[in-house]
């Protein structure tokens, strides 16, 4: 037996008939799938309440149903009014909505449809008079919550370890509010942490206590209502927040980042299994998978798992997008959900773009310019790229641009740069760097400025300049822009506008440059003939304890010695690098130094080895043939797609910031060529040779 609660106005109560059809019927069936199957005999009771806000004080009504008529497109209920109930429509609606939220059937921010169907236990819970003490307590909590007085809520129930002896230990709604207050008190930002002891330790210990108490209360809510996805999501969010704090540089370090991320994902999965349409949960799960976990696996060189997690993150973001886009803006309830989750929709677009961008392998190669490896390249030469690189770049562009289009107020011009959900500077920068990498790939990784590549570079310049010129939002005024200037400097270097490259970095230079910015600045200085100044900059990079890529610093130092005519020093640097790691660019640098020192045979041998190692640097093969006067023939690259994959494997830069280089290297070895180092004693190079590659 069921009780029907219908919401109507005075005219329908007088008419004694209500019809549900169209989207109103769809909303009822979405929450109560058994509604169309109800028969007159199964209806035990009917209660009517006024739906208009101004009529909340009017009494709810006892109704008697005379007929319940249904078709595929509508339901018609005919009834008569029996009597007024001793409860107002507003109070009844609050109790009914609280019951549905507590049961996990309704989100906190959602509204009820115009008709509800309750079983006997549910209607008894709604009709039960509230405990006057609990009602007063909830009112007090709401007043404190409206003032964001989290300490006030906490102190009202302190000490929390004795709550299990309190009557509210069985009230999930109150416990959830106290847990929320604990979670807010537990939050830590870098600016909040005291710099000196013992204040710092005391501060972090206090925050840790709040986190433990928040977890205890949210776990208790799940115990009380295990089928309520909201309480599971609240527990997941506590671990999500912990992960966000632990991943932030210079924030607290009293936790395990991967463990917190995995716990959050576990609880988000549980919430999503109960309600698959939770957009916020899909977004946060996706962020942990695509942005947080891959970096933890990269540090352990577990690159396949890092790639897998990033792909799972993209899948989770796409679910958030699909659900949001399927919501009908003409349906009031669905439109409210669209508004409530719009931020997560926009951030999912941006995050998918970022995930695809991070999977691009050959993003930038300073050696092309430092060693002038673009000369003698003709249009008819075999210049190619890894197709997966371009696919990832195009996907990144598609999502970044969609984020750019949607992240603006309705009616705002699509050409206007704004700070919306995502920072306007970041959106422009992402579009600029993605267009630049599209140029880079289509140019054969910088080897030749093909017409179709130049169009992308022009587009990149436009967006990067706009990103530098756009003011940041008020809360991000102090953030630097030197990373944007560095990317624009790369672009100017590809155009041989070296002075502009140097000027743009100097304009946005902070007191201390990061090593990667010094690398680009030094490259511009070397190419402009200012090698002595480049040496000074590179010395700073080599002495920087935070420089994780000192190999590149040493390589560019060798190039600056070449530019300054210090050929013995250059030769020494490249030989040292060659001993550290076999890489074609070190051999090329040594060859150039040897040639300047009139050691032609040594130069030819270095070029020969470099050419065999990576035949896709076409100018190296040509230099080899020119220097040997045709006596040594260069190895020619294959023209097939697999050959481009070989090139990617042999020349990939495994030192790039997110580890995608080595990750892709291993994927190609196994997926394309079938090479498994655990199944053979052959090196990958030997395997390629013996299998005809």
């Amino acid at each position: 037996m069921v009780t029907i609660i219908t919401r109507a106005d005075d005219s329908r109560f007088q008419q004694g008939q209500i019809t549900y059809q169209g989207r109103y019927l769809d909303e009822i069936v979405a929450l109560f799938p058994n509604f169309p199957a109800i028969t007159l005999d199964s209806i035990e009771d009917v209660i009517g309440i006024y739906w208009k806000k101004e009529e909340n004080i009017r009494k709810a009504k006892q109704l008697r149903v005379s007929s319940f008529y249904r078709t595929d497109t509508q339901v018609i209920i005919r009834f008569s009014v029996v009597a007024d109930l001793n409860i107002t429509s507003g109070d009844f609606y609050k109790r009914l909505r609280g019951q549905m939220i507590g049961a996990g059937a309704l989100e906190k921010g959602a509204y009820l449809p115009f008709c509800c169907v309750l079983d006997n236990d549910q209607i008894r819970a709604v009709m039960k008079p509230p405990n006057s003490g609990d009602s007063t307590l909830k009112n007090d909590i709401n007043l404190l919550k409206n003032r964001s007085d989290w300490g006030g809520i906490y102190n009202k129930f302190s000490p929390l370890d004795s709550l299990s002896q309190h009557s509210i230990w069985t009230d999930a709604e109150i416990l959830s509010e106290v847990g929320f207050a604990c979670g807010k008190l537990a939050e830590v930002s870098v600016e909040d942490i005291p710099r000196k002891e013992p204040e710092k330790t005391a501060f972090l210990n206090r925050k840790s206590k709040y986190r433990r108490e928040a977890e205890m209360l949210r776990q208790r809510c799940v115990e009380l209502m295990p089928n309520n996805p909201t309480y599971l999501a609240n527990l997941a969010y506590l671990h999500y927040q912990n992960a966000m704090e632990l991943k932030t540089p210079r924030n607290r370090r009293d936790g395990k980042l991967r463990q917190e991320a995995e716990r959050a994902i576990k609880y988000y999965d549980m919430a999503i299994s109960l309600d698959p349409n939770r957009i916020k949960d899909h977004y946060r799960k996706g962020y942990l998978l695509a942005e947080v976990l891959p970096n933890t696996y990269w540090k352990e060189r577990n690159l396949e798992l890092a790639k897998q997690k990033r792909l799972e993150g993209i899948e989770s973001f796409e679910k958030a997008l699909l659900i949001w886009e399927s919501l009908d803006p003409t349906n009031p309830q669905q439109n409210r959900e669209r508004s409530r989750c719009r931020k997560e929709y926009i951030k999912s677009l941006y995050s998918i773009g970022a995930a695809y961008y991070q999977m691009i392998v050959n993003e930038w190669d300073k050696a092309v310019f430092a060693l002038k490896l673009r000369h003698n390249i003709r249009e008819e030469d075999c210049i190619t790229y890894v197709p997966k690189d371009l696919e990832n770049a195009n996907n990144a562009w598609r999502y970044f641009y969609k984020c750019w289009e949607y992240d603006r107020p309705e009616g705002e011009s699509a050409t206007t740069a704004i700070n919306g959900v995502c920072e306007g500077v970041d959106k422009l920068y992402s579009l600029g760097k993605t267009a630049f990498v599209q140029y880079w790939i289509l140019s054969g990784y910088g080897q030749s400025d093909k017409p179709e590549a130049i169009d992308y570079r022009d587009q990149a310049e436009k967006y990067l300049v706009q990103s530098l010129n756009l003011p940041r939002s008020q809360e991000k005024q102090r953030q630097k822009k030197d990373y944007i200037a560095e990317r624009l400097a790369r672009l100017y270097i590809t155009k041989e506008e070296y002075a502009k490259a140097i000027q743009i970095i100097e304009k946005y230079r902070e007191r201390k440059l990061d090593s990667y910015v010094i690398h680009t600045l030094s490259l511009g200085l070397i190419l402009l003939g200012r090698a002595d100044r480049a040496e000074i900059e590179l010395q700073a990079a080599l002495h920087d304890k935070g420089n994780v890529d000192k190999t590149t610093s040493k390589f560019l130092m060798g190039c600056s010695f070449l530019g300054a005519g210090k050929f013995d020093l250059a030769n020494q640097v490249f030989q040292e690098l060659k001993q550290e790691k076999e890489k074609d660019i070190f051999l090329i640098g040594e060859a150039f130094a040897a040639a300047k020192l009139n050691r032609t045979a040594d130069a030819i041998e270095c070029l020969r080895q470099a050419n065999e190692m990576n035949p896709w640097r076409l100018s190296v093969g040509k230099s080899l043939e020119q220097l040997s006067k045709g006596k040594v023939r260069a190895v020619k690259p294959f023209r097939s797609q697999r050959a481009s994959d070989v090139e990617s494997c042999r020349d990939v830069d495994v030192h790039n910031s997110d580890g995608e280089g080595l990750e892709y290297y291993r994927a190609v070895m196994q997926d394309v060529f079938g090479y498994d180092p655990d199944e053979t004693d052959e090196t990958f190079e030997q395997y390629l040779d013996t299998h005809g590659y």
Side-chain angles (χ1 to χ4, degrees):
M1 301 296 283
V2 299
T3 297
I4 293 178
I5 295 91
T6 184
R7 299 164 63 205
D9 56 18
D10 203 43
S11 63
R12 285 182 173 80
F13 284 133
Q14 291 181 23
Q15 291 170 9
Q17 176 175 312
I18 298 178
T19 301
Y20 300 109
Q21 59 189 356
R23 73 166 185 263
Y24 299 107
L25 180 59
D26 293 340
E27 289 178 0
I28 298 168
V29 174
L31 193 58
F32 305 100
N34 63 329
F35 182 66
I38 291 174
T39 63
L40 187 60
D41 293 339
S42 67
I43 300 173
E44 181 170 323
D45 215 348
V46 182
I47 295 172
I49 58 176
Y50 289 91
W51 70 271
K52 292 182 179 179
K53 189 173 182 179
E54 57 268 25
E55 294 184 302
N56 275 348
I57 60 173
R58 299 187 68 173
K59 297 291 187 180
K61 297 181 180 295
Q62 179 79 48
L63 308 178
R64 180 182 293 114
V65 175
S66 57
S67 70
F68 188 88
Y69 174 77
R70 67 180 184 277
T71 68
D72 291 339
T73 59
Q74 63 179 5
V75 171
I76 301 174
I77 302 176
R78 294 187 176 90
F79 59 86
S80 58
V81 177
V82 177
D84 287 345
L85 297 174
N86 192 28
I87 183 173
T88 66
S89 295
D91 285 345
F92 192 97
Y93 180 80
K94 287 179 182 177
R95 291 191 201 175
L96 174 60
R97 187 166 173 272
Q99 168 67 25
M100 300 306 295
I101 291 172
L106 194 70
E107 287 281 349
K108 275 195 172 184
Y111 292 85
L112 291 170
F114 278 89
C115 186
C116 299
V117 182
L118 274 63
D119 60 28
N120 290 338
D121 289 340
Q122 289 174 317
I123 192 63
R124 276 197 294 271
V126 172
M127 295 302 293
K128 179 183 175 182
N131 182 292
S132 59
D134 286 352
S135 179
T136 302
L137 194 57
K138 289 176 182 178
N139 288 336
D140 291 345
I141 291 173
N142 285 332
L143 287 172
L144 293 167
K145 188 176 179 180
N146 290 337
R147 298 200 299 265
S148 298
D149 186 356
W150 314 119
I153 296 174
Y154 181 88
N155 292 332
K156 199 170 187 66
F157 297 92
S158 184
L160 299 194
D161 54 11
S162 64
L163 275 182
S164 59
Q165 311 303 317
H166 198 285
S167 61
I168 67 165
W169 191 242
T170 58
D171 192 323
E173 186 178 353
I174 292 179
L175 292 177
S176 179
E177 296 292 358
V178 181
F180 182 82
C182 288
K184 297 298 288 185
L185 291 170
E187 291 178 3
V188 178
S189 65
V190 178
E191 295 77 14
D192 295 336
I193 302 176
R195 294 179 178 271
K196 298 180 180 179
E197 296 289 3
E199 292 84 359
K200 180 178 179 180
T201 298
F203 173 85
L204 293 175
N205 287 341
R206 187 165 62 253
K207 294 294 183 177
S208 179
K209 180 174 183 289
Y210 289 140
R211 286 196 299 275
R212 291 195 301 272
E213 290 170 332
E215 184 171 11
M216 173 193 72
L217 292 171
R218 291 180 177 182
Q219 286 279 15
R220 177 58 179 167
C221 291
V222 171
E223 289 173 10
L224 291 170
M225 294 193 167
N227 295 321
N228 186 325
T230 298
Y231 293 139
L232 284 162
N234 289 346
L235 184 54
Y237 184 78
L238 177 68
H239 294 292
Y240 172 86
Q241 182 66 28
N242 286 344
M244 293 301 101
E245 291 176 359
L246 291 169
K247 74 178 278 289
T248 303
R250 297 181 296 280
N251 207 317
R252 64 184 181 88
R253 289 290 174 265
D254 55 343
K256 297 179 179 179
L257 174 57
R258 184 189 299 173
Q259 186 180 79
E260 291 298 324
E262 289 176 342
R263 284 179 178 174
I265 291 168
K266 168 189 168 184
Y267 290 120
Y268 279 133
D269 281 339
M270 292 170 69
I272 290 167
S273 70
L274 294 170
D275 180 3
N277 295 320
R278 298 179 65 83
I279 295 171
K280 292 176 182 283
D281 293 355
H282 282 298
Y283 163 73
R284 289 168 181 154
K285 175 188 170 184
Y287 190 87
L288 293 168
L289 287 165
E291 293 288 339
V292 177
L293 283 179
N295 288 334
T296 71
Y297 292 118
W298 159 241
K299 290 177 182 177
E300 298 175 1
R301 290 295 191 268
N302 196 339
L303 306 176
E304 286 303 309
L305 192 53
K307 180 180 180 181
Q308 176 190 325
K309 294 302 178 184
R310 184 166 284 132
L311 292 172
E312 289 175 11
I314 289 174
E315 183 180 347
S316 194
F317 289 137
E318 286 175 338
K319 286 179 182 177
L321 298 181
L322 184 64
I323 296 166
W324 192 89
E325 290 171 355
S326 69
L327 295 172
D328 182 2
T330 65
N331 181 311
Q333 187 160 337
Q334 292 188 29
N335 193 46
R336 282 191 290 269
E337 183 69 2
R338 279 173 64 93
S339 299
R340 191 177 76 90
C341 298
R342 181 176 174 273
K343 286 184 179 180
E344 285 69 29
Y345 174 73
I346 298 297
K347 289 190 284 188
S348 291
L349 289 172
Y350 189 87
S351 295
I352 294 182
Y356 276 118
Y357 187 90
Q358 288 164 346
M359 290 194 289
I360 298 167
V361 177
N362 297 290
E363 186 194 345
W364 176 242
D365 185 358
K366 304 167 188 68
V368 170
F369 305 96
L371 298 175
K372 298 182 173 63
L373 300 181
R374 302 211 299 174
H375 70 284
N376 295 333
I377 303 298
R378 301 184 302 271
E379 184 68 28
E380 62 270 20
D381 285 322
C382 180
I383 298 174
T384 188
Y385 54 84
V386 180
K388 194 68 177 178
D389 274 350
L390 188 60
E391 180 185 333
N392 287 329
N394 289 342
N395 281 331
W397 172 268
R398 179 161 57 94
Y399 283 106
F400 280 140
Y401 194 80
K402 192 171 182 179
C403 175
W404 164 260
E405 285 187 307
Y406 278 74
D407 192 17
R408 63 188 67 255
E410 189 174 346
E412 189 82 22
S413 169
T415 60
T416 306
I418 65 162
N419 291 311
V421 173
C422 298
E423 189 79 4
V425 168
D426 295 338
K427 288 178 291 188
L428 287 164
Y429 171 68
S430 295
L431 289 169
K433 74 175 184 179
T434 305
F436 181 63
V437 85
Q438 287 170 309
Y439 150 79
W440 182 255
I441 295 165
L442 288 171
S443 68
Y445 307 108
Q447 293 189 81
S448 177
D449 286 348
K450 295 181 177 180
E452 64 267 30
I454 291 174
D455 290 341
Y456 285 102
R457 185 173 63 187
D458 292 343
Q459 196 172 39
E461 184 175 1
K462 177 185 74 173
Y463 284 114
L464 290 172
V465 169
Q466 288 180 354
S467 181
L468 284 171
N469 292 335
L470 181 68
R472 287 196 181 276
S473 61
Q474 191 62 40
E475 56 271 24
K476 294 193 176 182
Q477 288 291 317
R478 298 176 63 185
Q479 287 193 5
K480 300 189 296 184
K481 286 190 175 183
D482 59 351
Y483 67 95
I484 306 170
E486 187 273 339
R487 192 61 54 111
L488 186 55
R490 293 186 191 183
L491 187 149
Y492 289 146
I493 287 171
T494 67
K495 296 173 70 174
E496 300 183 0
E497 297 177 354
Y498 309 130
K500 288 181 71 173
I502 296 165
Q503 288 166 5
I504 198 66
I505 290 178
E506 293 288 3
K507 180 177 179 181
Y508 290 90
R509 182 170 192 158
E510 299 288 333
R511 285 176 296 177
K512 180 182 177 182
L513 287 178
D514 289 329
S515 58
Y516 76 96
V517 183
I518 291 177
H519 294 161
T520 303
L521 173 61
S522 300
L523 180 59
L525 290 166
I526 292 167
L527 293 168
L528 196 61
R530 298 170 62 186
D532 291 342
R533 165 77 188 285
E535 286 182 37
I536 296 171
E537 297 288 353
L538 290 166
Q539 284 292 348
L542 286 167
H543 288 92
D544 182 4
K545 293 180 180 180
N547 183 357
V548 296
D549 188 15
K550 291 190 178 180
T551 298
T552 296
S553 304
K554 292 177 186 177
F555 169 73
L556 289 171
M557 183 67 82
C559 295
S560 71
F561 288 150
L562 278 177
K566 302 174 183 178
F567 304 126
D568 283 322
L569 288 174
N571 188 64
Q572 181 182 337
V573 168
F574 293 128
Q575 283 190 343
E576 289 174 357
L577 287 168
K578 187 178 67 173
Q579 297 303 314
E580 293 176 13
K581 180 176 179 59
E582 289 188 11
K583 203 169 182 183
D584 68 319
I585 60 172
F586 305 152
L587 287 162
I588 299 165
E590 184 183 355
F592 287 0
K596 292 291 186 180
L597 292 168
N598 296 317
R599 290 161 42 196
T600 307
D602 290 343
I604 291 172
E605 177 58 20
C606 288
L607 288 175
R608 186 191 65 77
Q609 292 180 35
N611 173 237
E612 286 186 355
M613 188 179 295
N614 178 15
W616 294 92
R617 292 197 194 274
L618 302 182
S619 64
V620 175
K622 293 186 176 185
S623 296
L624 172 62
E625 292 183 350
Q626 289 170 2
L627 190 61
S628 68
K629 298 181 180 178
K631 293 178 182 179
V632 181
R633 304 298 298 175
V635 176
K636 302 298 181 185
F638 300 104
R639 291 179 178 270
S640 66
Q641 177 178 336
R642 282 196 168 187
S644 67
D645 284 331
V646 174
E647 183 271 337
S648 132
C649 290
R650 288 178 171 169
D651 187 43
V652 71
D653 181 0
V654 298
H655 295 289
N656 67 28
S657 60
D658 57 13
E660 286 296 343
L662 189 53
E663 179 180 325
Y664 186 76
Y665 174 79
R666 291 180 56 124
V668 173
M669 283 197 299
Q670 295 176 4
D671 298 343
V672 177
F673 300 102
Y675 173 78
D676 188 343
D678 297 328
E679 298 294 328
T680 178
D681 292 328
E682 289 182 301
T683 67
F684 183 49
E685 297 292 333
Q686 291 168 338
Y687 182 91
L688 293 176
D689 293 336
T690 57
H691 287 76
Y693 295 110

